[in-house]
Amino acid sequence: MRKALVSTLLFISCSVTVQPGFAQTSNTALVPLPSLDDFTQGQNGWSFGLGLGVEYETAYEGSDEFGFELQPAGAIQWRNDNHIYYFAGEALGWRGRVNENWLLEGALGFDEGREEGDSDDGYLDGLGDQDESFELVFQARRAFTSDWRYWLVSRIVSGGDGNLGLFGVGRRFGDQVDGTGHEVNLVAVFHDSEYANKGFGVNATQAQASGLPETDVDSGLRSFGIDYSFRHYINKNWQLYGEALFEYYSSDVRDSPIARSDYETEVGVGVIYIF
């Protein structure tokens, strides 16, 4: 969740079964969840979506500064029956439905890190800039029913700066099978000490340069969160999407001098043109 609860993915399975309740038809998404963009409209082969969104969000994890930011949207996707391979900005990945109730995903993503200049008020001065890095993201969703009304979700993020795990439950609203509608997830997020201290720790060198107290954050519960996704076809080619998240930090994170707020929040809307 470096700047998101939302996004991303796990292992390729060699065997795929197509269930009658999910037989591929025109405009049928791989799974009918608005949080997962699917521009293939039920067809094998290449698809391409390009758009733009605007987000109102915290400046960095733990910040009490907010601002607007323009974000590109869309992806290049290639579908082969129950598998979609994609390139989406800063992520290269695969998503596959291995049976009626299981969705697995895996991706290589890019983390931009944190810079002192992310705080306009100077709250990060002396902490130094964090290096950019790549992260592996693995995700699995297990639906309780074939229409994906309710599901369990798990996500693991692993990179050179520790590991993060997310576990939760979700619900879809609406009867569409084209990936539009509304979706809500309730999650608990955990991190190891390395990941925790990259975001909220202050080592001895940083403490001397910044004047903040030296802080070591233990592994364990990071936060509880809720996220919401919305997707709607304006017409065959234009798609409207929106998302919102709220993440409430655990007491260990709130005690960090970097966490100037008890929570992180983000709201975004945008449009995508599907070619």
Side-chain angles (χ1 to χ4, degrees):
M1 254 172 75
R2 203 97 71 195
K3 289 305 294 172
L5 276 176
V6 221
S7 242
T8 359
L9 317 162
L10 187 68
F11 317 109
I12 296 178
S13 172
C14 296
S15 62
V16 178
T17 58
V18 179
Q19 301 294 329
F22 250 114
Q24 185 170 316
T25 59
S26 177
N27 212 33
T28 299
L30 187 68
V31 288
L33 301 182
S35 62
L36 305 175
D37 51 12
D38 183 349
F39 306 137
T40 66
Q41 298 185 336
Q43 305 301 314
N44 284 336
W46 291 101
S47 61
F48 179 54
L50 181 64
L52 185 67
V54 59
E55 295 180 351
Y56 183 71
E57 60 183 353
T58 51
Y60 57 90
E61 292 181 331
S63 174
D64 59 358
E65 302 169 61
F66 291 82
F68 289 95
E69 183 176 358
L70 291 176
Q71 291 284 355
I76 300 172
Q77 300 177 339
W78 184 72
R79 181 166 179 170
N80 181 21
D81 295 329
N82 294 327
H83 301 276
I84 291 179
Y85 306 87
Y86 64 88
F87 174 70
E90 297 179 343
L92 178 67
W94 161 87
R95 176 182 304 141
R97 181 169 53 81
V98 297
N99 62 34
E100 188 177 58
N101 300 107
W102 277 100
L103 177 75
L104 305 179
E105 306 186 56
L108 177 65
F110 182 73
D111 176 29
E112 296 179 352
R114 188 186 67 198
E115 299 180 355
E116 289 188 1
D118 289 342
S119 172
D120 292 335
D121 295 333
Y123 295 130
L124 299 177
D125 291 353
L127 297 179
D129 295 340
Q130 295 178 348
D131 294 334
E132 300 170 340
S133 62
F134 288 97
E135 295 178 328
L136 291 173
V137 184
F138 306 99
Q139 179 173 260
R141 297 200 195 196
R142 171 60 163 87
F144 294 113
T145 58
S146 60
D147 62 356
W148 284 79
R149 184 67 59 197
Y150 301 93
W151 61 85
L152 298 174
V153 61
S154 61
R155 181 180 304 151
I156 302 295
V157 178
S158 181
D161 298 297
N163 304 284
L164 175 144
L166 175 152
F167 306 93
V169 295
R171 189 190 194 286
R172 179 174 73 95
F173 301 87
D175 298 320
Q176 304 94 317
V177 295
D178 59 358
T180 62
H182 306 265
E183 171 190 328
V184 173
N185 292 274
L186 298 173
V187 299
V189 186
F190 302 84
H191 51 200
D192 63 16
S193 58
E194 187 175 3
Y195 198 102
N197 281 289
K198 179 175 183 179
F200 299 101
V202 181
N203 61 33
T205 302
Q206 292 173 322
Q208 185 175 9
S210 67
L212 297 175
E214 188 172 348
T215 303
D216 183 72
V217 184
D218 293 332
S219 61
L221 178 67
R222 168 195 169 97
S223 62
F224 293 103
I226 179 171
D227 69 76
Y228 163 81
S229 298
F230 163 76
R231 198 173 295 270
H232 173 72
Y233 276 103
I234 301 172
N235 56 39
K236 181 179 179 181
N237 297 103
W238 284 100
Q239 190 180 91
L240 176 69
Y241 72 91
E243 59 183 11
L245 85 86
F246 178 83
E247 179 185 5
Y248 187 75
Y249 294 129
S250 68
S251 57
D252 284 346
V253 173
R254 297 197 306 270
D255 288 342
S256 166
I258 296 176
R260 302 187 58 83
S261 177
D262 294 343
Y263 63 90
E264 178 181 336
T265 188
E266 175 183 323
V267 178
V269 294
V271 292
I272 296 175
Y273 184 83
I274 301 174
F275 293 83

